[in-house]
Amino acid sequence: MLDGIMEFWNALRPKVEQTADERTANCLRVDRFDVVSAPSGGKISVRQPYGRTISIPYCEEVAGAKAGDTVLLSGVVYTARDQAHKRMLEALDKGEKLPFDLEGSAIYYVGPTPERPGEVIGSAGPTTSGRMDAMSPRLLDLGNKVMIGKGKRDAAVKEAVRRNGAVYLAALGGAGALMAKSVKTLEVIAWPDLGCEAVRRLTVEDMPLTVILDAHGGDLYESGPEAYKTSGC
């Protein structure tokens, strides 16, 4: 099943069997990115559709991601679900330091299952993002730039994404094994008593995602159905 999912995903990606001149010409006119990643406090790696990889400051490039783009994310990602979000907001209210720097951070709404021997992580599919809606705007205003989950977000989150030049990415629901394949390292960094909801620091490589909300106010849950209606399909 996993091989079938990967085959489907790869079919969506642009082909890269081109000459050097063709790649150069295509990269000059491309207006979207195939990789966005946000190591906290550092650089991100962006692979454009024809295989070219560059390192750039995150804040300068997130505006290029558009709702509907398929992306491959690489870099440092922090896991945080409902309970971890509540504790982060409680810490902020008390003036305490958070487990990680929010500036430029990427947060994945996931509570992975225990890993089997020889694995970095267990199944790592996304949880429903709406559970974090009441808490996400504050984190976005404090520097969070990438959210990863599944499902719609409310109006307050959409406005906070636009206001802060952030992005909301959707992972494939029901494909936790596919998401797990992208995780190369894992470290529990806060609140281990929360079990699967403890905050983890992940290093990911080529995690397949889709842009749902972009920095321009784009929302795939709105534009997608409209595009279908006008496509004549």
Side-chain angles (χ1 to χ4, degrees):
M1 179 178 177
L2 182 58
D3 290 340
I5 293 173
M6 288 300 296
E7 182 178 352
F8 171 75
W9 181 265
N10 289 330
L12 297 178
R13 297 176 55 193
K15 301 300 182 182
V16 296
E17 294 80 5
Q18 303 171 3
T19 66
D21 289 342
E22 287 173 333
R23 285 196 297 271
T24 300
N26 284 326
C27 285
L28 290 175
R29 65 173 180 261
V30 71
D31 62 2
R32 71 176 183 83
F33 308 103
D34 261 16
V35 176
V36 254
S37 60
S40 182
K43 300 283 188 176
I44 67 165
S45 297
V46 175
R47 177 179 301 160
Q48 294 177 326
Y50 297 95
R52 181 166 168 260
T53 301
I54 55 176
S55 294
I56 47 177
Y58 177 79
C59 60
E60 294 181 7
E61 293 297 339
V62 67
K66 301 291 179 64
D69 283 355
T70 55
V71 303
L72 293 174
L73 184 148
S74 297
V76 174
V77 174
Y78 297 96
T79 71
R81 282 183 43 155
D82 326 23
Q83 296 304 314
H85 272 69
K86 290 177 182 177
R87 290 197 182 183
M88 285 194 286
L89 265 60
E90 289 171 357
L92 289 171
D93 290 340
K94 296 176 182 178
E96 297 174 352
K97 187 177 180 180
L98 296 184
F100 58 91
D101 185 3
L102 283 175
E103 187 63 38
S105 64
I107 299 177
Y108 184 17
Y109 306 147
V110 61
T113 63
E115 65 274 12
R116 293 181 295 185
E119 294 182 338
V120 175
I121 194 172
S123 180
T127 195
T128 302
S129 302
R131 296 174 179 173
M132 274 57 69
D133 279 358
M135 300 172 278
S136 292
R138 186 174 182 184
L139 301 184
L140 288 163
D141 288 340
L142 290 172
N144 174 220
K145 288 294 185 183
V146 177
M147 301 172 292
I148 306 166
K150 67 178 180 180
K152 294 182 178 181
R153 310 305 301 269
D154 68 14
V157 174
K158 290 170 64 173
E159 171 54 27
V161 167
R162 187 202 61 76
R163 179 171 70 240
N164 293 286
V167 67
Y168 166 51
L169 308 174
L172 293 171
L178 175 61
M179 298 298 104
K181 285 188 66 175
S182 305
V183 179
K184 304 306 177 184
T185 68
L186 179 154
E187 177 188 5
V188 176
I189 63 171
W191 306 313
D193 60 297
L194 293 179
C196 70
E197 292 201 38
V199 175
R200 292 164 167 81
R201 183 184 189 274
L202 309 180
T203 302
V204 305
E205 182 178 320
D206 288 352
M207 178 176 280
L209 304 164
T210 301
V211 179
I212 301 298
L213 303 179
D214 64 36
H216 309 281
D219 182 349
L220 186 59
Y221 279 107
E222 294 179 356
S223 60
E226 285 302 315
Y228 176 77
K229 290 176 183 178
T230 60
S231 68
C233 294

